[in-house]
Amino acid sequence: VSADPMALTLLKEPGAMGADIAVGSTQRFGVPEGYGGPHAAYMACKDAYKRAMPGRIVGVSIDAHGNRAYRLSLQTREQHIRREKATSNVCTAQALLAVMASMYAVFHGPEGLKAIAQRIHRKAVRLANGLEEAGFKVDPKSFFDTVTVDVGPLQAAVMKSAVDEGINLRRVGETRVGITLDERTVPATIEAVWRAFGIRRSDEKFEAQYRFPDDMLRESAYLTHPIFHMNRAETEMMRYMRRLADRDLALDRAMIPLGSCTMKLNSAAEMMPVSWREFSMIHPFVPQDQALGYKHMIDDLSAKLCDITGYDAISMQPNSGAQGEYAGLLAIASYHRANGQGHRNICLIPMSAHGTNPASANMVGWKVVVIKTAANGDIDLDDFRAKAEKHSENLAGCMITYPSTHGVFEETVTEVTKITHDHGGQVYIDGANMNAMVGLARPGDVGGDVSHLNLHKTFCIPHGGGGPGMGPIGVKSHLIPHVPGHPNGGEGAVSAAPYGSPSLLPISWSYCLMMGGDGLTQATRVAILNANYIAKRLEGAFEVLYKGPTGRVAHECIFDVRPFEDSAGVTVDDIAKRLIDAGFHAPTMSFPVAGTLMVEPTESETKAELDRFCDAMLAIRDEIRAIENGDMPRENNALKNAPHTVEDLVGEWDRPYTREQGCFPPGAFRVDKYWPPVNRVDNVHGDRNLICTCPPMEEYAEAAE
Ligand SMILES: *Cc1c(COP(=O)(O)O)cnc(C)c1O
């Protein structure tokens, strides 16, 4: 069942109607339209299917002190852990928008939401009554907030009159118009809609009326968790959000060295326009002459991205890198079909590829053939050539990343793309690492036919804790007619909105405008310099797994910490958790090589912050050495017990290091210390308790008082 969560505050919930799965958009919960996005969707299912659902579920676990700890469960299903078990190609989703929608529910609570829904419905009923009393036929008989009106040959005239009133109606077929109301509709709006139909009356009959059957009314309670009952004052709501923000270790506090994620500055000047109503309050299907500013921005940004990538056209439809991959592969598949080569279904993908690559290839129905990694970390060229030859007849293409996920500019890249083309395949270059290339090299010049760009990486859109994003694709001219959603044909759309999440684009556009061409190139140089600075400062303490022939890395590098498992019983998890004590978010763990850490500083970090990070890493190396030397026990040390919380400052202390050493390692600030809200979380316990069970009813009663 596809269902609007706002309507569900009044209507019987899909689960109670026998549905197995419910989906819908949460845009309705306080998220602006933004000319199409971003906004979060939801997907809910019966208990029986929870382990087959894509994505992750917030579950409850306990930490080392036995305190409650919320955590994302079931990461074993994600593409990078077990590719063949991945249930979707989604990586970046819409976490921030989901948070926004949830805050709307937290603030209004079930009673407030129900009152909003009732007001929306009553207005829709009043509007329909007025139209019916004037002789118009309104459908359907039962509705929540949306009706269509039969206007016969007057469709264009009615829509035009509405525009003159400042209102857009929706064209439905040849003879009908659609009208949807929301909580912002006021009597003057309803009267203006009536006027567009030639009805002159005032909206003043305010009795409560329902236009849906009694057995569709909701009977069950919802949003029973105390949090939906304790933030009714704006002051409390503000403090609640502040408390949550304080628990987060975000970019406004410290460098986030997540390799491949490109966690760079999202400047305030770039982000301010996102909330301007000129960008945020536009419906995706307004007549084009009402969105000329958007058109100018999208055209100009597309031209700049073509210039940067060496491609001939850009599609702004995909909402993430992975969706861009899917769209790009659909374009390749369509191209092969148009050439009578529809049987081509083999995709060559290196072992080191991001998990979304094989998952996307699976989604378009292709077979993935994995290419080995050579000793130096590069694509094994002999293996690539052999497999391209073997599958020559059916080769659809290859998916490669440049510079590679190993953080190296592979010098054989043009050979790889040539081999693919020689066998009739098309080349997909994953553009997630564009931060190492902008201004210096272009995927379109090294043989790429199509690439996605992660605007939420290289082009400054913030990650939002897992989205929103924008993953536009650039294509060479021969693929233009095959791009999904292109008006001239090709495959079907990958997003319902023509430009994906366009209200994010002012960020990337103003980034390009403010930096200018030289500035963008300089940013790339500094990003590469910063990564090499870290690699050099940590030399001797941590081994860089892969380097290019000149001994340098690209914009990120992989530190091999696997030897410490043997020498000290220290795992990649222990190091990541210990970095939290020093006030750093963990680097990327176990991607693309299990048991390693991948660090990407970006150009945004100062030398002082890079040094703070290196100091923290070197201090961790000293702690590992103390275990190796037998000066610290293998099971009870600051690494194994990390992260430390304020709970560790009080109560019993039976550890072979001091509280001071535990809580304030080198790199940690004293006054501005980041305190994690939980100690080490029990992962096994968490995966056994998938759904967060609500606190007992007594707590709920107290909170409601
Ligand atoms: C981030 C990333 C992706 C996926 O992009 P999303 O926007 O998260 O879907 C694909 N490939 C690489 C190399 C990446 O780093």
XYZ file of all heavy atoms in Angstrom, residues 91-92 260 320-323 325 354 356-357 401 405 430 432-433 452 454 456-457, ligand 1:
164
model
N 23.225 3.760 -1.077
C 24.274 4.114 -0.126
C 23.818 5.419 0.515
O 23.231 5.423 1.594
C 25.595 4.234 -0.869
S 26.971 4.772 0.123
N 24.015 6.543 -0.178
C 23.449 7.796 0.304
C 21.934 7.745 0.170
O 21.415 7.426 -0.897
C 24.018 8.963 -0.520
O 25.371 9.161 -0.123
C 23.235 10.237 -0.285
N 36.872 8.314 0.789
C 35.860 8.099 -0.244
C 34.606 8.943 -0.005
O 33.784 9.076 -0.893
C 35.461 6.617 -0.370
O 35.181 6.317 -1.721
N 21.542 10.307 -5.949
C 22.731 9.849 -5.225
C 23.684 9.245 -6.239
O 23.291 8.998 -7.392
C 22.358 8.784 -4.192
O 21.980 7.586 -4.853
N 24.894 8.984 -5.789
C 25.855 8.345 -6.676
C 25.343 7.013 -7.177
O 25.410 6.709 -8.371
N 24.815 6.206 -6.258
C 24.342 4.882 -6.647
C 23.193 4.978 -7.651
O 23.104 4.178 -8.583
C 23.899 4.097 -5.414
N 22.330 5.968 -7.468
C 21.239 6.125 -8.425
C 21.788 6.595 -9.774
O 21.263 6.230 -10.826
C 20.193 7.108 -7.882
C 18.809 6.830 -8.428
C 17.784 7.862 -7.975
O 18.115 8.906 -7.433
N 16.528 7.551 -8.204
N 24.734 5.644 -10.891
C 25.256 4.411 -11.494
C 24.136 3.667 -12.215
O 24.287 3.232 -13.367
C 25.823 3.482 -10.406
C 27.076 4.003 -9.734
C 27.414 3.193 -8.491
O 26.925 2.045 -8.348
O 28.170 3.705 -7.650
N 33.642 0.091 -5.112
C 32.647 0.431 -4.106
C 31.467 -0.525 -4.260
O 31.095 -0.891 -5.380
C 32.182 1.875 -4.346
C 31.444 2.467 -3.196
N 30.072 2.444 -3.113
C 31.876 3.101 -2.088
C 29.698 3.051 -1.997
N 30.773 3.462 -1.350
N 28.411 -0.243 -4.216
C 27.259 0.150 -5.030
C 27.452 -0.281 -6.487
O 26.467 -0.501 -7.189
C 27.075 1.679 -4.998
O 28.314 2.302 -5.329
C 26.621 2.143 -3.621
N 28.702 -0.404 -6.960
C 28.945 -0.731 -8.379
C 28.340 -2.091 -8.745
O 27.484 -2.156 -9.639
C 30.434 -0.686 -8.727
C 31.041 0.715 -8.712
O 32.181 0.917 -9.069
N 30.278 1.717 -8.280
N 36.811 2.958 -11.070
C 36.856 4.199 -10.300
C 38.224 4.833 -10.529
O 39.235 4.133 -10.497
C 36.643 3.902 -8.802
O 35.439 3.157 -8.654
C 36.537 5.177 -7.997
N 39.822 3.313 -5.864
C 39.425 3.312 -4.453
C 40.620 3.034 -3.552
O 40.511 3.158 -2.339
C 38.346 2.256 -4.200
O 38.807 1.024 -4.743
C 37.042 2.643 -4.852
N 33.238 5.604 -12.223
C 32.653 6.077 -10.966
C 33.363 7.388 -10.610
O 34.577 7.413 -10.429
C 32.892 4.994 -9.899
C 32.304 5.335 -8.548
O 32.356 6.522 -8.166
O 31.824 4.421 -7.863
N 33.094 9.318 -7.942
C 33.084 9.712 -6.534
C 34.401 10.352 -6.113
O 34.450 11.106 -5.142
C 32.778 8.510 -5.650
N 35.478 10.037 -6.834
C 36.783 10.576 -6.447
C 37.167 11.812 -7.244
O 38.350 12.139 -7.360
C 37.857 9.488 -6.592
C 37.695 8.418 -5.521
O 36.998 8.624 -4.523
N 38.321 7.279 -5.724
N 29.020 9.222 -12.838
C 28.225 10.050 -11.928
C 29.167 10.946 -11.146
O 30.349 10.635 -10.990
C 27.388 9.200 -10.968
C 28.185 8.515 -9.894
N 28.552 7.197 -9.959
C 28.681 8.986 -8.716
C 29.254 6.883 -8.888
N 29.350 7.946 -8.110
N 29.326 12.852 -7.362
C 28.637 12.994 -6.083
C 28.723 14.462 -5.700
O 29.740 14.901 -5.172
C 29.301 12.130 -5.007
C 29.306 10.670 -5.387
O 29.981 10.273 -6.324
N 28.549 9.872 -4.664
N 27.369 15.732 -3.362
C 27.483 15.766 -1.902
C 28.865 15.337 -1.446
O 29.104 15.183 -0.263
C 26.403 14.892 -1.253
C 26.267 13.544 -1.900
N 25.831 13.392 -3.181
C 26.498 12.309 -1.437
C 25.814 12.115 -3.489
N 26.224 11.429 -2.442
N 29.773 15.116 -2.343
C 31.163 14.910 -1.952
C 31.965 16.086 -2.504
O 32.163 17.076 -1.823
C 31.680 13.566 -2.492
C 31.002 12.375 -1.817
C 31.476 11.039 -2.352
C 30.746 9.900 -1.631
N 30.990 8.597 -2.246
C 30.155 7.368 -2.246
C 30.543 6.476 -3.339
C 29.569 5.876 -4.175
C 28.084 5.962 -3.924
O 27.579 7.243 -3.887
P 26.245 7.551 -3.050
O 25.954 8.961 -3.362
O 26.543 7.324 -1.614
O 25.185 6.609 -3.537
C 30.001 5.108 -5.219
N 31.318 4.902 -5.436
C 32.274 5.445 -4.655
C 33.725 5.177 -4.949
C 31.924 6.226 -3.569
O 32.859 6.738 -2.763
